[in-house]
Amino acid sequence: MCRVVDLRQAVLAKNDEAAHTLRAELAARGTVIVNLLSSPGSGKTELLERELLLARERGVPVAALTADLATENDAVRLARSGVPVKQVLTDGLCHLEAGMLGRHLDGWLPGDTRLLFVENVGNLVCPASYDLGESLRVVLASVTEGEDKPLKYPTAFGLAHLVVVTKTDIAEAVEFDQAAFLANVQQVNPGVEVVFTSARRGAGAGALLDRALAVAGGTAPHAPVMAQRQRAEAHGHDHDHGPDHDHGPDHDHGPDHDHGHDHGDGHDHGHRHDHDHDHPHTGSHTHRAGHGHVPSEAAGFPPGAPSAVVPTR
């Protein structure tokens, strides 16, 4: 069992090194990666298509890379926006990795690209553990997926810089409990901004693009508590490791933890969290929290990445 864990740590360490290199290379040319994670069917392709169209209208040089196990359907849809689009077929692999992404960008990504949107494989388990060299990690969930989604997938939501809720035009029909969802998000990722969107009705249009441009302009993203804790542990800081403490990138090593991996989206890693945050919420389309100045390292990025004060809007 220990050998399996050691191997996984080695794989993630190699990926982190590749992600650090890719982030630095792209930063040198003025390009920022936006990593989009969600379950299959969340509506991220339709939302991304709208954001790419808007970026083109505004004259923002963007590109998109989309990953799937099979078919080029998503790339065909995104190409309708008129921006550079590339499809990556993973041949069964449930996630993208930084080295893989770098190889696909080599010789393809236009030199003037300001934002590269990466639509990761539809899966909230495996992709959550892999840094792609992104400067903004966005996790999406549709109103049809249930208010407890953040609790079921605490690593994906816990490491997000931004959470986007989709398909809000049918929220009433499916009896989506917005307050419960927001409370659950705050439990795993205190202070993270939650944006509510509807690609069909145009609600929240441009929110994703605006947040990405802010980061590209030097504004530091939200610093997830989980990322800060992982960074501190990696540097050997002392902590009080209670029985519910999350020791690894995506595992709660409690006594009953099963280290086997089901790479489907239905896998529940059994994480538990002790964050007790009671936040009142309104019915507005965007849940925001003010963020102070944080070093890039504490935000989950390697030393040397830009940091700044994130204003409360």
Side-chain angles (χ1 to χ4, degrees):
M1 187 64 67
C2 291
R3 293 176 63 186
V4 174
V5 173
D6 290 343
L7 176 60
R8 177 171 177 76
Q9 291 175 342
V11 170
L12 291 175
K14 182 178 180 180
N15 180 82
D16 287 347
E17 182 179 352
H20 176 78
T21 299
L22 180 59
R23 185 182 290 109
E25 291 176 349
L26 291 180
R29 52 187 279 180
T31 301
V32 160
I33 294 177
V34 180
N35 186 9
L36 305 178
L37 290 77
S38 79
S39 303
S42 68
K44 67 178 177 294
T45 303
E46 184 172 2
L47 177 65
L48 179 55
E49 182 182 358
R50 297 297 183 97
E51 297 294 300
L52 294 178
L53 282 167
L54 187 57
R56 188 182 179 193
E57 291 174 6
R58 293 184 183 180
V60 180
V62 299
L65 181 146
T66 181
D68 271 311
L69 303 182
T71 83
E72 297 185 356
N73 294 348
D74 287 352
V76 171
R77 290 181 59 184
L78 295 178
R80 297 184 303 200
S81 66
V83 309
V85 174
K86 184 170 186 176
Q87 177 77 56
V88 173
L89 298 180
T90 63
D91 294 326
L93 189 63
C94 62
H95 60 275
L96 285 173
E97 297 179 5
M100 180 193 311
L101 176 61
R103 289 191 294 273
H104 282 285
L105 297 183
D106 189 27
W108 168 73
L109 187 66
D112 65 343
T113 302
R114 184 64 169 154
L115 300 173
L116 170 63
F117 290 93
V118 176
E119 184 180 13
N120 219 315
V121 180
N123 186 334
L124 283 176
V125 182
C126 306
S129 299
Y130 289 85
D131 180 3
L132 298 183
E134 70 264 23
S135 296
L136 184 66
R137 175 177 289 209
V138 183
V139 175
L140 301 89
S142 73
V143 297
T144 62
E145 296 178 60
E147 297 81 5
D148 61 347
K149 200 77 172 183
L151 303 181
K152 289 183 175 180
Y153 300 93
T155 300
F157 284 88
L159 292 176
H161 299 121
L162 176 69
V163 174
V164 175
V165 179
T166 62
K167 305 183 183 181
T168 58
D169 52 301
I170 61 172
E172 184 176 355
V174 299
E175 299 182 346
F176 176 70
D177 189 334
Q178 176 176 312
F181 180 85
L182 288 172
N184 291 335
V185 170
Q186 293 304 312
Q187 184 173 339
V188 300
N189 194 344
V192 70
E193 181 182 11
V194 180
V195 176
F196 291 82
T197 67
S198 169
R200 288 185 176 181
R201 294 185 179 176
L208 177 58
L209 178 60
D210 290 341
R211 304 308 187 273
L213 285 172
V215 172
T219 299
H222 163 71
V225 172
M226 182 180 291
Q228 296 179 60
R229 187 175 64 208
Q230 290 177 1
R231 180 67 65 180
E233 290 177 355
H235 283 75
H237 290 202
D238 291 331
H239 293 274
D240 180 13
H241 299 300
D244 299 330
H245 185 79
D246 183 358
H247 291 273
D250 66 346
H251 290 285
D252 179 4
H253 296 293
D256 297 327
H257 182 77
D258 182 0
H259 287 277
H261 295 275
D262 176 359
H263 292 291
D265 188 50
H267 181 77
D268 185 349
H269 283 283
H271 293 256
R272 299 170 62 190
H273 295 262
D274 295 329
H275 305 294
D276 184 13
H277 296 273
D278 184 13
H279 297 279
H281 301 288
T282 66
S284 61
H285 286 288
T286 305
H287 173 70
R288 298 185 176 94
H291 307 301
H293 181 85
V294 294
S296 59
E297 187 172 353
F301 299 140
S307 62
V309 175
V310 182
T312 302
R313 300 173 185 248

